Structures are given as C-alpha cells and as structure tokens.
Amino acid sequence: MIGEFRLFPEQASTMASRVDLLYFYLLSVTAFFVILICALVLYFGIKYRRGSPAPRAVHPTNYTLEVVWCVIPLVLVMVMFGWGARLYFELYDPPPDAMVVHVVGKQWMWKTQHPTGRREIDRLHVPVDTPVELRMISEDVIHSFYIPAFRVKTDVLPGRYHRLWFNATKPGRYHLFCAEYCGTGHAQMRGEVIVLSK
C-alpha cells in the first residue's frame, strides 16, 4: 500500500508541469518566509527576554529597511499574480482546433457527449496529443469537474456554460472527480478519463 502512495498525481497533460511549477514557486516562497519569521521571532524572543542585558534604546526609523521589506514582498506577490493570471487564461482559452465535448453534471454523475454524438456516463474517452475543449453545464446544483493528473478543475454551475480544455500527453486511465460538495451522493460522483493512443 505504501509503495503505491504518491504525493502528487502523475503529470499527464501539457499544462500539468506548468501548474506544478507555479505551485512549487508559491510553496517555496511561503516556506522561506515562514521559516524566516519563526527564526526571527525565536531569536528576538531569546535576545529580549525579561532580565536580559540587551539594549532597548529607541533607534531612529530606518527608511531603507522599511522600503526593502515592502518592495521585496510586493515584487514576489506581483510575480505570483502575473504568472498565475497568465496560466489561468491559458487554461480557460482553448485552441481553435480543439475537439469539443459537451459535459453535463447531474446528481451524481457526469454525462459526456462527443462530436460524433456518442454519449458516456462517468467516462470520457479522448485521443492522446489532441486538444479537447469541454463545454460544461449543471442540471441541478454546483459541481466541480476535476482531473488531478491533468491539473484542470472548474466549477460547473446550473444555467451557465463553462469552458475548460486539456491536451493529454500519455495514454492511460485517469481519475475524474466532482470537487464541490453537491449532496449526499457526492462521494460517488467520480469517473475516469480514458486517453487512447492514436
């Protein structure tokens, strides 16, 4: 059982590695600042503990230090914003030659219809190395279409169409989940995406 455990799902789409790279950047920046702040709190807590001989005189304001600790986080956050916004728009703007598949979320199943008219329930067969555009809507409540191996996820709302696309890079079977609590059968609302070789 432990041998089968994976911390992250397999990367099986063209966008998966790019999403993971952004995620690891966010994780690295967060970990760096958490460790830095915890170390400084510990250091100053020991240095200025009650009874310590550390000097406690009021020093004049250091404007250079204040500018640095405002500008560096601003730059890091703007990089996060720009990178994330660019990736978001690429994930939700399918290429014009993408194969269109219609998806309907319903308690508690995913219904798909291919361009040829073929329909499936809780399964989606797609060819490898082909952009696939999903046009999704819900019949009842809010659902969330999520394929972890492709790093794609979007909420599916009643009365409103949503688009999402992916390009699978490896043939195989991949999990498909509803990632939004949608009622008592939510845990059973899962399926699979089967990527076929050409």
Side-chain angles (χ1 to χ4, degrees):
M1 170 123 177
I2 289 293
E4 296 174 14
F5 175 76
R6 293 176 61 108
L7 186 59
F8 296 99
E10 182 178 4
Q11 294 179 346
S13 78
T14 53
M15 297 300 269
S17 61
R18 296 176 62 195
V19 170
D20 286 353
L21 192 60
L22 174 60
Y23 173 76
F24 287 121
Y25 169 73
L26 296 172
L27 196 63
S28 301
V29 170
T30 303
F32 172 78
F33 280 105
V34 165
I35 291 168
L36 176 66
I37 290 168
C38 287
L40 288 173
V41 165
L42 189 62
Y43 168 75
F44 288 123
I46 292 170
K47 181 176 180 179
Y48 293 105
R49 70 189 183 279
R50 185 181 301 177
S52 73
R56 290 175 171 79
V58 177
H59 296 286
T61 304
N62 185 339
Y63 292 109
T64 304
L65 182 62
E66 289 192 17
V67 168
V68 167
W69 74 36
C70 288
V71 170
I72 290 175
L74 176 66
V75 169
L76 291 171
V77 169
M78 292 310 293
V79 168
M80 291 175 195
F81 173 78
W83 190 353
R86 180 176 177 192
L87 199 55
Y88 175 84
F89 286 117
E90 288 178 21
L91 277 168
Y92 290 91
D93 187 25
D97 62 336
M99 179 179 87
V100 177
V101 176
H102 293 275
V103 178
V104 176
K106 173 182 176 177
Q107 290 178 318
W108 287 279
M109 68 178 75
W110 294 107
K111 297 190 293 186
T112 60
Q113 182 175 352
H114 295 267
T116 59
R118 181 179 175 200
R119 296 173 188 222
E120 300 181 89
I121 293 178
D122 291 335
R123 279 199 173 83
L124 175 60
H125 287 78
V126 295
V128 71
D129 295 325
T130 303
V132 177
E133 177 187 345
L134 304 175
R135 292 186 185 163
M136 299 174 281
I137 195 166
S138 171
E139 279 188 10
D140 40 40
V141 298
I142 299 173
H143 299 285
S144 190
F145 192 90
Y146 177 43
I147 309 170
F150 298 169
R151 308 304 192 269
V152 294
K153 176 187 169 299
T154 192
D155 289 342
V156 182
L157 307 175
R160 183 173 174 185
Y161 281 96
H162 288 267
R163 294 189 320 168
L164 183 67
W165 77 279
F166 60 83
N167 187 344
T169 56
K170 297 178 185 176
R173 294 174 176 263
Y174 303 99
H175 295 290
L176 163 64
F177 297 109
C178 176
E180 180 77 35
Y181 181 73
C182 55
T184 55
H186 168 68
Q188 283 77 44
M189 192 170 174
R190 58 185 182 266
E192 62 181 351
V193 177
I194 296 119
V195 180
L196 306 169
S197 63
K198 290 194 176 181

